[in-house]
Amino acid sequence: MAQNTTIQVSRKARDHLAQVARERGMTLGQLVEQLAAEQPTAEQIAERVAATRKVLRERLGGTLTDEELDNGPNVLANVYAMAAEKARARAERAA
């Protein structure tokens, strides 16, 4: 059985989280557990970055350095921007 503990927050924060939990059909404890599970630690983020860089190097067949990857274009941000632009254009045509 999991051991429980107490977290001190303002009443305003507690009331807000309790409302969010009710709207999602869960307890406040379940909501806090879910929120905690969704937040990666710095170590987990570093592990994900290292794994992603390894895959990029394997797939690209190159020897990109960490510095080159850090200074390269943010490809994912560019993809999101292009997708958003296409969605806006579709919405404008439909209107």
Side-chain angles (χ1 to χ4, degrees):
M1 182 174 177
Q3 293 182 346
N4 293 325
T5 190
T6 301
I7 300 173
Q8 293 187 2
V9 297
S10 69
R11 287 178 194 241
K12 183 178 178 182
R14 183 214 47 209
D15 292 346
H16 176 79
L17 291 172
Q19 178 64 32
V20 171
R22 276 191 300 276
E23 290 173 0
R24 296 182 184 181
M26 56 180 36
T27 67
L28 181 54
Q30 289 169 328
L31 176 65
V32 171
E33 289 282 340
Q34 179 185 20
L35 294 172
E38 293 172 351
Q39 302 305 311
T41 64
E43 182 180 347
Q44 290 169 325
I45 292 170
E47 289 170 357
R48 291 177 189 171
V49 168
T52 300
R53 288 178 175 192
K54 180 181 179 204
V55 169
L56 280 172
R57 288 180 178 117
E58 289 170 357
R59 300 250 169 106
L60 295 175
T63 56
L64 293 171
T65 65
D66 285 342
E67 184 176 281
E68 289 170 322
L69 289 169
D70 288 341
N71 294 328
N74 187 337
V75 175
L76 189 55
N78 292 340
V79 169
Y80 286 152
M82 291 182 334
E85 181 57 35
K86 286 183 181 182
R88 276 193 294 275
R90 279 193 299 266
E92 289 173 4
R93 284 193 301 268

